[in-house]
Amino acid sequence: MKGKERNAAQKAALYGMLIALAFIFSYVEAIIPMPLPVPGVKIGLANLVNVVGLYTVGLAGTAAVGLVRIVLVGFTFGNTFSMVYGLSGGILSMAVMAGAKRCKWFGTTGISILGGVFHNVGQLLAASYVTGTFGVFSYFPVLLAAGVAAGGGIGLLGGMVVERIKGYALTESRSR
């Protein structure tokens, strides 16, 4: 293969692996029962792929992977509403994480915490729109704590993964 074709094939293979990994993490998360009575509380395992993706394939690739994952998970394990909530949370979360990374105010853990919190905010905004009431924001304190805790754990793990694959993965700086 020629250089450009080879690079395109490598990118396609990498994105396919990231989508598959995020899909598997979403499946694992779907079968883990959460002992909290608040809807929407999750560990956020698939966010690990987003955090690592922001530092390896960049915003565009990570956003594409996230979009495909949310749609696939919605069709496989959910419904139209779960896709709407997932997309609203995912888009807001990705925008905030990308902005925070660009400003260089936070490391991987801080960026992941912001992603977890703003994913919940995006879902609450969608739920508020769907239900026509801001009453759903009564769940925010629990979702805020869950977003910080889960985001912190995923961010620590994501930072370790990024550090370990620096020399092996297609890094954002090399892909430009």
Side-chain angles (χ1 to χ4, degrees), residues 4 7 12 17 19-20 26 30 44-45 52-53 63 65 76 79 103 115 123-124 126 130 145 152 154 164 170:
K4 284 187 178 182
N7 191 29
M17 288 189 298
I19 291 166
S26 294
L45 293 175
V52 172
V65 167
T76 307
N79 55 41
C103 292
Q123 288 185 322
L124 286 173
V130 168
I154 294 297
R164 296 206 183 220
L170 173 67

Side-chain angles (χ1 to χ4, degrees), residues 65-75 82-83 86-87 90-91 119:
V65 167
L67 176 66
V68 171
R69 179 198 57 89
I70 290 168
V71 171
L72 286 175
V73 168
F75 281 130
S82 66
M83 277 193 279
L87 287 170
I91 290 168
H119 193 279

Side-chain angles (χ1 to χ4, degrees), residues 104-129:
K104 298 181 181 177
W105 291 344
F106 301 96
T108 54
T109 304
I111 287 171
S112 180
I113 289 170
L114 287 171
V117 168
F118 279 92
H119 193 279
N120 291 336
V121 169
Q123 288 185 322
L124 286 173
L125 288 170
S128 176
Y129 179 77

Side-chain angles (χ1 to χ4, degrees), residues 18-175:
L18 291 173
I19 291 166
L21 187 59
F23 187 79
I24 290 167
F25 285 162
S26 294
Y27 173 72
V28 168
E29 194 166 53
I31 62 174
I32 296 174
M34 288 305 289
L36 297 172
V38 177
V41 175
K42 293 184 178 180
I43 300 169
L45 293 175
N47 195 45
L48 178 60
V49 174
N50 291 342
V51 171
V52 172
L54 279 174
Y55 287 90
T56 56
V57 298
L59 175 60
T62 304
V65 167
L67 176 66
V68 171
R69 179 198 57 89
I70 290 168
V71 171
L72 286 175
V73 168
F75 281 130
T76 307
F77 307 120
N79 55 41
T80 306
F81 286 115
S82 66
M83 277 193 279
V84 168
Y85 296 138
L87 287 170
S88 60
I91 290 168
L92 183 58
S93 170
M94 185 62 61
V96 169
M97 289 192 303
K101 182 180 178 282
R102 175 172 261 182
C103 292
K104 298 181 181 177
W105 291 344
F106 301 96
T108 54
T109 304
I111 287 171
S112 180
I113 289 170
L114 287 171
V117 168
F118 279 92
H119 193 279
N120 291 336
V121 169
Q123 288 185 322
L124 286 173
L125 288 170
S128 176
Y129 179 77
V130 168
T131 62
T133 179
F134 284 106
V136 295
F137 279 91
S138 63
Y139 292 123
F140 184 67
V142 174
L143 292 175
L144 175 64
V148 169
I154 294 297
L156 287 171
L157 185 58
M160 288 187 274
V161 170
V162 167
E163 195 60 37
R164 296 206 183 220
I165 66 171
K166 261 186 185 171
Y168 303 103
L170 173 67
T171 60
E172 185 181 10
S173 60
R174 286 185 3 202
S175 65

